[in-house]
Amino acid sequence: MSTEQGMIDDAQAGGLSILETARVRWLNVEEIIALLSTPGAIPMGTAPPASPPPSGTLLLFDRSVVRNFKVDGHEWIKKRNNPNKVREDHVKLRYKGQYRVAGTYVHSVRASTMHRRAYRLIAGPASSGSAANGGGDLPPTGNTDIVLVHYLDTLEAVRVSALYADHLAASASGNSRNVSVARSSAAAAVHVGGDYAGVGQG
């Protein structure tokens, strides 16, 4: 089994598929790398969205082919000094001590809880176990033109996570106390992000 497939399986071991997970929280850096590195994990988009994607949507694009993938029908906050351009906050995410993922975050004009995050792999070492990465295994560098786009309304995510928690807890034991605990844990999970290096506006 590949490292990337193992990461996806780890997410599913918690009771939710990777697509269900995307509806209740931001993906962590391991899950992001897995989706960017695993062919066929999500179908590759061939055109920008025909309508505004709802919360929880995950999309993959080859930015060298679909250059206008960010034209999605949503209205995002624009730059103060250039109202014709969307304000993007830029981040770099670490995996095992090395920057492996570059991301851009944008925020909705109409709903303060709606956001879009776009991720791509950063070119890095093709081999694993080197002294530079502390001896730990790093997934090989993938195609840096592949972009993973994640839409999430954090308010909607709390509602959906509570529904999932109810279902999972009821399936496990039917104990009402377990449902309450699971709800609290699921609501907190929506804030999960990645190990990032400062946010800068672009």
Side-chain angles (χ1 to χ4, degrees), residues 86-139:
V86 172
R87 191 195 84 190
E88 293 185 327
D89 301 330
H90 295 262
V91 301
K92 290 182 180 180
L93 307 180
R94 291 188 184 94
Y95 178 70
K96 295 193 174 182
Q98 292 193 3
Y99 293 125
R100 299 304 312 279
V101 175
T104 58
Y105 300 173
V106 300
H107 317 283
S108 174
V109 169
R110 300 184 181 277
S112 62
T113 55
M114 182 66 179
H115 313 275
R116 182 189 72 200
R117 296 184 177 184
Y119 308 98
R120 64 177 177 81
L121 293 175
I122 296 172
S127 60
S128 61
S130 68
N133 64 38
D137 289 337
L138 287 172

mmCIF file of all heavy atoms in Angstrom, residues 86-139:
data_model
loop_
_atom_site.group_PDB
_atom_site.id
_atom_site.type_symbol
_atom_site.label_atom_id
_atom_site.label_comp_id
_atom_site.label_asym_id
_atom_site.label_seq_id
_atom_site.Cartn_x
_atom_site.Cartn_y
_atom_site.Cartn_z
ATOM 1 N N VAL A 86 -9.365 39.361 -6.553
ATOM 2 C CA VAL A 86 -9.716 38.721 -5.287
ATOM 3 C C VAL A 86 -8.513 38.743 -4.342
ATOM 4 O O VAL A 86 -7.374 38.499 -4.754
ATOM 5 C CB VAL A 86 -10.167 37.261 -5.529
ATOM 6 C CG1 VAL A 86 -10.352 36.513 -4.211
ATOM 7 C CG2 VAL A 86 -11.447 37.238 -6.350
ATOM 8 N N ARG A 87 -8.771 39.049 -3.077
ATOM 9 C CA ARG A 87 -7.710 39.009 -2.072
ATOM 10 C C ARG A 87 -7.442 37.550 -1.687
ATOM 11 O O ARG A 87 -8.351 36.831 -1.267
ATOM 12 C CB ARG A 87 -8.129 39.777 -0.809
ATOM 13 C CG ARG A 87 -6.991 39.997 0.178
ATOM 14 C CD ARG A 87 -7.499 40.420 1.544
ATOM 15 N NE ARG A 87 -7.874 39.254 2.335
ATOM 16 C CZ ARG A 87 -8.535 39.333 3.489
ATOM 17 N NH1 ARG A 87 -8.925 40.504 3.956
ATOM 18 N NH2 ARG A 87 -8.835 38.239 4.175
ATOM 19 N N GLU A 88 -6.217 37.119 -1.840
ATOM 20 C CA GLU A 88 -5.822 35.759 -1.491
ATOM 21 C C GLU A 88 -4.802 35.789 -0.366
ATOM 22 O O GLU A 88 -3.805 36.518 -0.451
ATOM 23 C CB GLU A 88 -5.224 35.036 -2.706
ATOM 24 C CG GLU A 88 -6.220 34.772 -3.827
ATOM 25 C CD GLU A 88 -5.613 33.940 -4.943
ATOM 26 O OE1 GLU A 88 -4.402 34.082 -5.203
ATOM 27 O OE2 GLU A 88 -6.347 33.136 -5.549
ATOM 28 N N ASP A 89 -5.057 35.011 0.677
ATOM 29 C CA ASP A 89 -4.087 34.834 1.749
ATOM 30 C C ASP A 89 -3.243 33.603 1.410
ATOM 31 O O ASP A 89 -3.795 32.531 1.145
ATOM 32 C CB ASP A 89 -4.794 34.629 3.095
ATOM 33 C CG ASP A 89 -5.685 35.810 3.461
ATOM 34 O OD1 ASP A 89 -5.359 36.934 3.047
ATOM 35 O OD2 ASP A 89 -6.699 35.608 4.151
ATOM 36 N N HIS A 90 -1.915 33.764 1.418
ATOM 37 C CA HIS A 90 -1.010 32.693 1.001
ATOM 38 C C HIS A 90 -0.388 32.002 2.213
ATOM 39 O O HIS A 90 0.045 32.680 3.157
ATOM 40 C CB HIS A 90 0.096 33.255 0.103
ATOM 41 C CG HIS A 90 -0.410 33.793 -1.198
ATOM 42 N ND1 HIS A 90 -0.376 33.084 -2.382
ATOM 43 C CD2 HIS A 90 -0.996 34.982 -1.512
ATOM 44 C CE1 HIS A 90 -0.898 33.806 -3.358
ATOM 45 N NE2 HIS A 90 -1.278 34.963 -2.854
ATOM 46 N N VAL A 91 -0.355 30.684 2.167
ATOM 47 C CA VAL A 91 0.237 29.901 3.247
ATOM 48 C C VAL A 91 1.114 28.789 2.666
ATOM 49 O O VAL A 91 0.980 28.423 1.493
ATOM 50 C CB VAL A 91 -0.831 29.264 4.168
ATOM 51 C CG1 VAL A 91 -1.717 30.321 4.800
ATOM 52 C CG2 VAL A 91 -1.670 28.245 3.406
ATOM 53 N N LYS A 92 2.010 28.288 3.493
ATOM 54 C CA LYS A 92 2.768 27.080 3.180
ATOM 55 C C LYS A 92 2.577 26.108 4.333
ATOM 56 O O LYS A 92 2.717 26.490 5.498
ATOM 57 C CB LYS A 92 4.259 27.390 2.988
ATOM 58 C CG LYS A 92 4.582 28.169 1.725
ATOM 59 C CD LYS A 92 6.088 28.379 1.584
ATOM 60 C CE LYS A 92 6.426 29.154 0.317
ATOM 61 N NZ LYS A 92 7.892 29.356 0.184
ATOM 62 N N LEU A 93 2.274 24.863 4.003
ATOM 63 C CA LEU A 93 2.016 23.844 5.012
ATOM 64 C C LEU A 93 3.189 22.869 5.111
ATOM 65 O O LEU A 93 3.742 22.454 4.097
ATOM 66 C CB LEU A 93 0.737 23.068 4.672
ATOM 67 C CG LEU A 93 -0.530 23.905 4.414
ATOM 68 C CD1 LEU A 93 -1.696 22.997 4.092
ATOM 69 C CD2 LEU A 93 -0.843 24.791 5.598
ATOM 70 N N ARG A 94 3.534 22.530 6.341
ATOM 71 C CA ARG A 94 4.638 21.593 6.580
ATOM 72 C C ARG A 94 4.128 20.166 6.721
ATOM 73 O O ARG A 94 3.057 19.928 7.273
ATOM 74 C CB ARG A 94 5.389 21.961 7.861
ATOM 75 C CG ARG A 94 6.180 23.240 7.821
ATOM 76 C CD ARG A 94 7.025 23.343 9.096
ATOM 77 N NE ARG A 94 7.758 24.594 9.177
ATOM 78 C CZ ARG A 94 7.345 25.670 9.798
ATOM 79 N NH1 ARG A 94 6.159 25.676 10.393
ATOM 80 N NH2 ARG A 94 8.085 26.765 9.845
ATOM 81 N N TYR A 95 4.940 19.238 6.241
ATOM 82 C CA TYR A 95 4.731 17.817 6.502
ATOM 83 C C TYR A 95 6.067 17.237 6.913
ATOM 84 O O TYR A 95 7.035 17.305 6.156
ATOM 85 C CB TYR A 95 4.183 17.098 5.261
ATOM 86 C CG TYR A 95 4.000 15.613 5.463
ATOM 87 C CD1 TYR A 95 3.005 15.131 6.303
ATOM 88 C CD2 TYR A 95 4.841 14.702 4.838
ATOM 89 C CE1 TYR A 95 2.833 13.772 6.504
ATOM 90 C CE2 TYR A 95 4.681 13.337 5.031
ATOM 91 C CZ TYR A 95 3.673 12.881 5.866
ATOM 92 O OH TYR A 95 3.522 11.532 6.074
ATOM 93 N N LYS A 96 6.134 16.706 8.127
ATOM 94 C CA LYS A 96 7.375 16.164 8.686
ATOM 95 C C LYS A 96 8.529 17.154 8.583
ATOM 96 O O LYS A 96 9.643 16.812 8.174
ATOM 97 C CB LYS A 96 7.727 14.831 8.024
ATOM 98 C CG LYS A 96 6.692 13.752 8.334
ATOM 99 C CD LYS A 96 7.164 12.356 7.973
ATOM 100 C CE LYS A 96 6.157 11.323 8.435
ATOM 101 N NZ LYS A 96 6.575 9.939 8.144
ATOM 102 N N GLY A 97 8.244 18.405 8.940
ATOM 103 C CA GLY A 97 9.286 19.411 9.045
ATOM 104 C C GLY A 97 9.641 20.133 7.761
ATOM 105 O O GLY A 97 10.453 21.054 7.790
ATOM 106 N N GLN A 98 9.037 19.741 6.648
ATOM 107 C CA GLN A 98 9.359 20.397 5.378
ATOM 108 C C GLN A 98 8.101 20.988 4.764
ATOM 109 O O GLN A 98 7.013 20.425 4.878
ATOM 110 C CB GLN A 98 9.980 19.402 4.395
ATOM 111 C CG GLN A 98 11.358 18.919 4.811
ATOM 112 C CD GLN A 98 12.069 18.197 3.675
ATOM 113 O OE1 GLN A 98 11.562 18.115 2.572
ATOM 114 N NE2 GLN A 98 13.249 17.686 3.942
ATOM 115 N N TYR A 99 8.253 22.143 4.106
ATOM 116 C CA TYR A 99 7.129 22.732 3.395
ATOM 117 C C TYR A 99 6.807 21.875 2.180
ATOM 118 O O TYR A 99 7.630 21.717 1.286
ATOM 119 C CB TYR A 99 7.463 24.168 2.954
ATOM 120 C CG TYR A 99 7.618 25.125 4.104
ATOM 121 C CD1 TYR A 99 8.774 25.874 4.269
ATOM 122 C CD2 TYR A 99 6.593 25.281 5.039
ATOM 123 C CE1 TYR A 99 8.913 26.747 5.331
ATOM 124 C CE2 TYR A 99 6.727 26.152 6.104
ATOM 125 C CZ TYR A 99 7.886 26.888 6.245
ATOM 126 O OH TYR A 99 8.024 27.759 7.298
ATOM 127 N N ARG A 100 5.617 21.329 2.160
ATOM 128 C CA ARG A 100 5.228 20.431 1.062
ATOM 129 C C ARG A 100 4.030 20.920 0.271
ATOM 130 O O ARG A 100 3.789 20.457 -0.841
ATOM 131 C CB ARG A 100 4.920 19.030 1.613
ATOM 132 C CG ARG A 100 6.086 18.343 2.304
ATOM 133 C CD ARG A 100 7.310 18.231 1.420
ATOM 134 N NE ARG A 100 7.036 17.731 0.091
ATOM 135 C CZ ARG A 100 6.887 16.449 -0.225
ATOM 136 N NH1 ARG A 100 7.004 15.532 0.707
ATOM 137 N NH2 ARG A 100 6.644 16.086 -1.466
ATOM 138 N N VAL A 101 3.247 21.833 0.861
ATOM 139 C CA VAL A 101 2.015 22.282 0.215
ATOM 140 C C VAL A 101 1.919 23.800 0.267
ATOM 141 O O VAL A 101 2.159 24.402 1.312
ATOM 142 C CB VAL A 101 0.772 21.665 0.895
ATOM 143 C CG1 VAL A 101 -0.517 22.223 0.294
ATOM 144 C CG2 VAL A 101 0.791 20.146 0.795
ATOM 145 N N ALA A 102 1.591 24.415 -0.862
ATOM 146 C CA ALA A 102 1.296 25.849 -0.914
ATOM 147 C C ALA A 102 -0.216 26.012 -1.019
ATOM 148 O O ALA A 102 -0.885 25.238 -1.716
ATOM 149 C CB ALA A 102 1.978 26.502 -2.112
ATOM 150 N N GLY A 103 -0.744 27.004 -0.310
ATOM 151 C CA GLY A 103 -2.185 27.195 -0.330
ATOM 152 C C GLY A 103 -2.576 28.654 -0.456
ATOM 153 O O GLY A 103 -1.799 29.551 -0.097
ATOM 154 N N THR A 104 -3.775 28.884 -0.990
ATOM 155 C CA THR A 104 -4.359 30.218 -1.017
ATOM 156 C C THR A 104 -5.757 30.131 -0.417
ATOM 157 O O THR A 104 -6.510 29.194 -0.711
ATOM 158 C CB THR A 104 -4.449 30.793 -2.444
ATOM 159 O OG1 THR A 104 -5.234 29.913 -3.263
ATOM 160 C CG2 THR A 104 -3.074 30.978 -3.057
ATOM 161 N N TYR A 105 -6.074 31.092 0.445
ATOM 162 C CA TYR A 105 -7.366 31.124 1.117
ATOM 163 C C TYR A 105 -8.112 32.385 0.696
ATOM 164 O O TYR A 105 -7.530 33.475 0.685
ATOM 165 C CB TYR A 105 -7.201 31.147 2.641
ATOM 166 C CG TYR A 105 -6.467 29.971 3.258
ATOM 167 C CD1 TYR A 105 -6.136 29.978 4.614
ATOM 168 C CD2 TYR A 105 -6.089 28.852 2.515
ATOM 169 C CE1 TYR A 105 -5.477 28.919 5.207
ATOM 170 C CE2 TYR A 105 -5.426 27.790 3.097
ATOM 171 C CZ TYR A 105 -5.112 27.823 4.452
ATOM 172 O OH TYR A 105 -4.451 26.768 5.035
ATOM 173 N N VAL A 106 -9.399 32.249 0.372
ATOM 174 C CA VAL A 106 -10.228 33.408 0.060
ATOM 175 C C VAL A 106 -11.517 33.325 0.873
ATOM 176 O O VAL A 106 -11.908 32.248 1.344
ATOM 177 C CB VAL A 106 -10.539 33.510 -1.455
ATOM 178 C CG1 VAL A 106 -9.262 33.647 -2.257
ATOM 179 C CG2 VAL A 106 -11.355 32.320 -1.936
ATOM 180 N N HIS A 107 -12.183 34.468 1.008
ATOM 181 C CA HIS A 107 -13.296 34.575 1.937
ATOM 182 C C HIS A 107 -14.489 35.257 1.267
ATOM 183 O O HIS A 107 -14.323 36.222 0.516
ATOM 184 C CB HIS A 107 -12.858 35.353 3.183
ATOM 185 C CG HIS A 107 -11.500 34.949 3.661
ATOM 186 N ND1 HIS A 107 -11.274 33.789 4.371
ATOM 187 C CD2 HIS A 107 -10.276 35.524 3.484
ATOM 188 C CE1 HIS A 107 -9.975 33.678 4.627
ATOM 189 N NE2 HIS A 107 -9.357 34.718 4.093
ATOM 190 N N SER A 108 -15.678 34.749 1.552
ATOM 191 C CA SER A 108 -16.886 35.209 0.885
ATOM 192 C C SER A 108 -17.288 36.623 1.311
ATOM 193 O O SER A 108 -17.144 37.004 2.473
ATOM 194 C CB SER A 108 -18.047 34.254 1.190
ATOM 195 O OG SER A 108 -19.258 34.741 0.669
ATOM 196 N N VAL A 109 -17.810 37.360 0.351
ATOM 197 C CA VAL A 109 -18.380 38.682 0.631
ATOM 198 C C VAL A 109 -19.737 38.526 1.314
ATOM 199 O O VAL A 109 -20.077 39.266 2.238
ATOM 200 C CB VAL A 109 -18.553 39.479 -0.686
ATOM 201 C CG1 VAL A 109 -19.384 40.736 -0.463
ATOM 202 C CG2 VAL A 109 -17.199 39.836 -1.263
ATOM 203 N N ARG A 110 -20.517 37.551 0.894
ATOM 204 C CA ARG A 110 -21.909 37.419 1.332
ATOM 205 C C ARG A 110 -22.071 36.675 2.656
ATOM 206 O O ARG A 110 -23.001 36.956 3.412
ATOM 207 C CB ARG A 110 -22.723 36.719 0.243
ATOM 208 C CG ARG A 110 -22.726 37.481 -1.081
ATOM 209 C CD ARG A 110 -23.620 36.814 -2.101
ATOM 210 N NE ARG A 110 -23.605 37.529 -3.374
ATOM 211 C CZ ARG A 110 -24.342 38.594 -3.634
ATOM 212 N NH1 ARG A 110 -25.161 39.069 -2.706
ATOM 213 N NH2 ARG A 110 -24.279 39.196 -4.815
ATOM 214 N N ALA A 111 -21.199 35.700 2.920
ATOM 215 C CA ALA A 111 -21.302 34.908 4.155
ATOM 216 C C ALA A 111 -19.913 34.811 4.773
ATOM 217 O O ALA A 111 -19.007 34.215 4.179
ATOM 218 C CB ALA A 111 -21.861 33.523 3.863
ATOM 219 N N SER A 112 -19.748 35.370 5.959
ATOM 220 C CA SER A 112 -18.420 35.424 6.582
ATOM 221 C C SER A 112 -17.882 34.044 6.943
ATOM 222 O O SER A 112 -16.687 33.886 7.195
ATOM 223 C CB SER A 112 -18.470 36.290 7.851
ATOM 224 O OG SER A 112 -19.362 35.734 8.809
ATOM 225 N N THR A 113 -18.744 33.040 6.942
ATOM 226 C CA THR A 113 -18.319 31.682 7.301
ATOM 227 C C THR A 113 -17.962 30.820 6.094
ATOM 228 O O THR A 113 -17.531 29.678 6.251
ATOM 229 C CB THR A 113 -19.430 30.971 8.104
ATOM 230 O OG1 THR A 113 -20.648 31.007 7.349
ATOM 231 C CG2 THR A 113 -19.655 31.675 9.442
ATOM 232 N N MET A 114 -18.143 31.372 4.884
ATOM 233 C CA MET A 114 -17.861 30.605 3.665
ATOM 234 C C MET A 114 -16.472 30.954 3.136
ATOM 235 O O MET A 114 -16.119 32.129 2.995
ATOM 236 C CB MET A 114 -18.907 30.916 2.591
ATOM 237 C CG MET A 114 -18.718 30.126 1.303
ATOM 238 S SD MET A 114 -18.989 28.348 1.558
ATOM 239 C CE MET A 114 -18.729 27.715 -0.110
ATOM 240 N N HIS A 115 -15.689 29.915 2.844
ATOM 241 C CA HIS A 115 -14.305 30.113 2.413
ATOM 242 C C HIS A 115 -13.954 29.119 1.310
ATOM 243 O O HIS A 115 -14.590 28.074 1.164
ATOM 244 C CB HIS A 115 -13.331 29.924 3.588
ATOM 245 C CG HIS A 115 -13.747 30.643 4.822
ATOM 246 N ND1 HIS A 115 -13.445 31.963 5.056
ATOM 247 C CD2 HIS A 115 -14.460 30.220 5.899
ATOM 248 C CE1 HIS A 115 -13.932 32.338 6.229
ATOM 249 N NE2 HIS A 115 -14.561 31.294 6.752
ATOM 250 N N ARG A 116 -12.894 29.445 0.569
ATOM 251 C CA ARG A 116 -12.324 28.518 -0.406
ATOM 252 C C ARG A 116 -10.834 28.415 -0.163
ATOM 253 O O ARG A 116 -10.146 29.430 0.004
ATOM 254 C CB ARG A 116 -12.566 29.029 -1.832
ATOM 255 C CG ARG A 116 -12.029 28.067 -2.928
ATOM 256 C CD ARG A 116 -12.082 28.713 -4.310
ATOM 257 N NE ARG A 116 -11.072 29.765 -4.453
ATOM 258 C CZ ARG A 116 -11.126 30.728 -5.367
ATOM 259 N NH1 ARG A 116 -12.131 30.796 -6.213
ATOM 260 N NH2 ARG A 116 -10.166 31.640 -5.432
ATOM 261 N N ARG A 117 -10.341 27.195 -0.130
ATOM 262 C CA ARG A 117 -8.905 26.976 -0.015
ATOM 263 C C ARG A 117 -8.440 26.161 -1.210
ATOM 264 O O ARG A 117 -9.082 25.178 -1.585
ATOM 265 C CB ARG A 117 -8.550 26.241 1.292
ATOM 266 C CG ARG A 117 -8.874 27.047 2.543
ATOM 267 C CD ARG A 117 -8.428 26.338 3.813
ATOM 268 N NE ARG A 117 -8.673 27.154 4.996
ATOM 269 C CZ ARG A 117 -8.319 26.818 6.235
ATOM 270 N NH1 ARG A 117 -7.713 25.647 6.443
ATOM 271 N NH2 ARG A 117 -8.574 27.627 7.241
ATOM 272 N N ALA A 118 -7.337 26.591 -1.811
ATOM 273 C CA ALA A 118 -6.760 25.881 -2.951
ATOM 274 C C ALA A 118 -5.336 25.479 -2.607
ATOM 275 O O ALA A 118 -4.568 26.294 -2.088
ATOM 276 C CB ALA A 118 -6.780 26.765 -4.195
ATOM 277 N N TYR A 119 -4.995 24.227 -2.858
ATOM 278 C CA TYR A 119 -3.690 23.684 -2.477
ATOM 279 C C TYR A 119 -2.975 23.070 -3.683
ATOM 280 O O TYR A 119 -3.620 22.487 -4.556
ATOM 281 C CB TYR A 119 -3.851 22.572 -1.434
ATOM 282 C CG TYR A 119 -4.677 22.908 -0.225
ATOM 283 C CD1 TYR A 119 -6.015 22.527 -0.149
ATOM 284 C CD2 TYR A 119 -4.118 23.574 0.868
ATOM 285 C CE1 TYR A 119 -6.785 22.807 0.980
ATOM 286 C CE2 TYR A 119 -4.880 23.847 1.997
ATOM 287 C CZ TYR A 119 -6.209 23.464 2.045
ATOM 288 O OH TYR A 119 -6.962 23.744 3.168
ATOM 289 N N ARG A 120 -1.652 23.170 -3.672
ATOM 290 C CA ARG A 120 -0.836 22.464 -4.654
ATOM 291 C C ARG A 120 0.454 22.022 -3.978
ATOM 292 O O ARG A 120 0.893 22.617 -2.987
ATOM 293 C CB ARG A 120 -0.522 23.359 -5.859
ATOM 294 C CG ARG A 120 0.305 24.574 -5.532
ATOM 295 C CD ARG A 120 0.664 25.399 -6.750
ATOM 296 N NE ARG A 120 1.403 26.605 -6.391
ATOM 297 C CZ ARG A 120 2.706 26.641 -6.127
ATOM 298 N NH1 ARG A 120 3.432 25.525 -6.192
ATOM 299 N NH2 ARG A 120 3.306 27.769 -5.810
ATOM 300 N N LEU A 121 1.058 20.976 -4.521
ATOM 301 C CA LEU A 121 2.313 20.478 -3.960
ATOM 302 C C LEU A 121 3.458 21.422 -4.292
ATOM 303 O O LEU A 121 3.491 22.024 -5.363
ATOM 304 C CB LEU A 121 2.624 19.084 -4.500
ATOM 305 C CG LEU A 121 1.679 17.964 -4.080
ATOM 306 C CD1 LEU A 121 2.043 16.676 -4.801
ATOM 307 C CD2 LEU A 121 1.708 17.756 -2.567
ATOM 308 N N ILE A 122 4.389 21.543 -3.357
ATOM 309 C CA ILE A 122 5.623 22.291 -3.582
ATOM 310 C C ILE A 122 6.688 21.295 -4.008
ATOM 311 O O ILE A 122 6.805 20.207 -3.435
ATOM 312 C CB ILE A 122 6.077 23.011 -2.297
ATOM 313 C CG1 ILE A 122 5.034 24.059 -1.880
ATOM 314 C CG2 ILE A 122 7.445 23.667 -2.480
ATOM 315 C CD1 ILE A 122 5.315 24.682 -0.518
ATOM 316 N N ALA A 123 7.448 21.637 -5.026
ATOM 317 C CA ALA A 123 8.524 20.752 -5.484
ATOM 318 C C ALA A 123 9.469 20.483 -4.323
ATOM 319 O O ALA A 123 9.893 21.394 -3.622
ATOM 320 C CB ALA A 123 9.281 21.385 -6.644
ATOM 321 N N GLY A 124 9.773 19.214 -4.091
ATOM 322 C CA GLY A 124 10.628 18.837 -2.973
ATOM 323 C C GLY A 124 11.422 17.599 -3.302
ATOM 324 O O GLY A 124 11.483 17.173 -4.464
ATOM 325 N N PRO A 125 12.045 16.973 -2.292
ATOM 326 C CA PRO A 125 12.884 15.790 -2.526
ATOM 327 C C PRO A 125 12.067 14.639 -3.075
ATOM 328 O O PRO A 125 10.964 14.370 -2.620
ATOM 329 C CB PRO A 125 13.446 15.472 -1.137
ATOM 330 C CG PRO A 125 12.475 16.084 -0.179
ATOM 331 C CD PRO A 125 11.952 17.312 -0.867
ATOM 332 N N ALA A 126 12.624 13.996 -4.076
ATOM 333 C CA ALA A 126 11.935 12.849 -4.679
ATOM 334 C C ALA A 126 12.177 11.575 -3.896
ATOM 335 O O ALA A 126 11.466 10.606 -4.038
ATOM 336 C CB ALA A 126 12.399 12.657 -6.126
ATOM 337 N N SER A 127 13.198 11.563 -3.033
ATOM 338 C CA SER A 127 13.510 10.368 -2.261
ATOM 339 C C SER A 127 13.086 10.563 -0.828
ATOM 340 O O SER A 127 12.888 11.671 -0.361
ATOM 341 C CB SER A 127 15.012 10.075 -2.319
ATOM 342 O OG SER A 127 15.743 11.159 -1.789
ATOM 343 N N SER A 128 12.937 9.456 -0.090
ATOM 344 C CA SER A 128 12.521 9.528 1.305
ATOM 345 C C SER A 128 13.646 9.012 2.186
ATOM 346 O O SER A 128 14.571 8.358 1.750
ATOM 347 C CB SER A 128 11.256 8.688 1.517
ATOM 348 O OG SER A 128 11.519 7.336 1.212
ATOM 349 N N GLY A 129 13.512 9.350 3.505
ATOM 350 C CA GLY A 129 14.463 8.844 4.470
ATOM 351 C C GLY A 129 15.780 9.567 4.492
ATOM 352 O O GLY A 129 16.759 9.081 5.051
ATOM 353 N N SER A 130 15.881 10.733 3.886
ATOM 354 C CA SER A 130 17.148 11.461 3.859
ATOM 355 C C SER A 130 17.389 12.177 5.168
ATOM 356 O O SER A 130 16.489 12.386 5.963
ATOM 357 C CB SER A 130 17.122 12.485 2.715
ATOM 358 O OG SER A 130 16.194 13.500 2.993
ATOM 359 N N ALA A 131 18.624 12.586 5.375
ATOM 360 C CA ALA A 131 18.973 13.319 6.581
ATOM 361 C C ALA A 131 18.241 14.642 6.638
ATOM 362 O O ALA A 131 17.896 15.145 7.708
ATOM 363 C CB ALA A 131 20.487 13.550 6.631
ATOM 364 N N ALA A 132 17.967 15.213 5.478
ATOM 365 C CA ALA A 132 17.322 16.518 5.428
ATOM 366 C C ALA A 132 15.926 16.492 6.025
ATOM 367 O O ALA A 132 15.456 17.469 6.573
ATOM 368 C CB ALA A 132 17.248 17.013 3.982
ATOM 369 N N ASN A 133 15.231 15.346 5.912
ATOM 370 C CA ASN A 133 13.887 15.292 6.479
ATOM 371 C C ASN A 133 13.870 14.513 7.789
ATOM 372 O O ASN A 133 12.831 14.033 8.220
ATOM 373 C CB ASN A 133 12.891 14.707 5.465
ATOM 374 C CG ASN A 133 13.196 13.259 5.113
ATOM 375 O OD1 ASN A 133 13.595 12.462 5.963
ATOM 376 N ND2 ASN A 133 13.002 12.898 3.854
ATOM 377 N N GLY A 134 15.016 14.397 8.432
ATOM 378 C CA GLY A 134 15.080 13.764 9.740
ATOM 379 C C GLY A 134 14.950 12.266 9.695
ATOM 380 O O GLY A 134 14.670 11.626 10.702
ATOM 381 N N GLY A 135 15.138 11.683 8.517
ATOM 382 C CA GLY A 135 15.054 10.236 8.405
ATOM 383 C C GLY A 135 13.644 9.722 8.200
ATOM 384 O O GLY A 135 13.423 8.551 8.010
ATOM 385 N N GLY A 136 12.633 10.617 8.255
ATOM 386 C CA GLY A 136 11.256 10.184 8.088
ATOM 387 C C GLY A 136 10.895 10.057 6.627
ATOM 388 O O GLY A 136 11.498 10.670 5.759
ATOM 389 N N ASP A 137 9.888 9.247 6.356
ATOM 390 C CA ASP A 137 9.462 9.061 4.977
ATOM 391 C C ASP A 137 8.620 10.251 4.526
ATOM 392 O O ASP A 137 7.710 10.680 5.216
ATOM 393 C CB ASP A 137 8.630 7.782 4.841
ATOM 394 C CG ASP A 137 9.499 6.543 4.982
ATOM 395 O OD1 ASP A 137 10.712 6.660 4.740
ATOM 396 O OD2 ASP A 137 8.963 5.483 5.332
ATOM 397 N N LEU A 138 8.909 10.761 3.352
ATOM 398 C CA LEU A 138 8.122 11.813 2.732
ATOM 399 C C LEU A 138 7.569 11.279 1.420
ATOM 400 O O LEU A 138 8.290 10.619 0.677
ATOM 401 C CB LEU A 138 8.974 13.060 2.434
ATOM 402 C CG LEU A 138 9.390 13.919 3.616
ATOM 403 C CD1 LEU A 138 10.382 14.979 3.134
ATOM 404 C CD2 LEU A 138 8.191 14.598 4.255
ATOM 405 N N PRO A 139 6.294 11.529 1.145
ATOM 406 C CA PRO A 139 5.771 11.116 -0.159
ATOM 407 C C PRO A 139 6.571 11.787 -1.268
ATOM 408 O O PRO A 139 6.980 12.940 -1.127
ATOM 409 C CB PRO A 139 4.327 11.651 -0.131
ATOM 410 C CG PRO A 139 4.011 11.855 1.306
ATOM 411 C CD PRO A 139 5.307 12.207 1.962
#
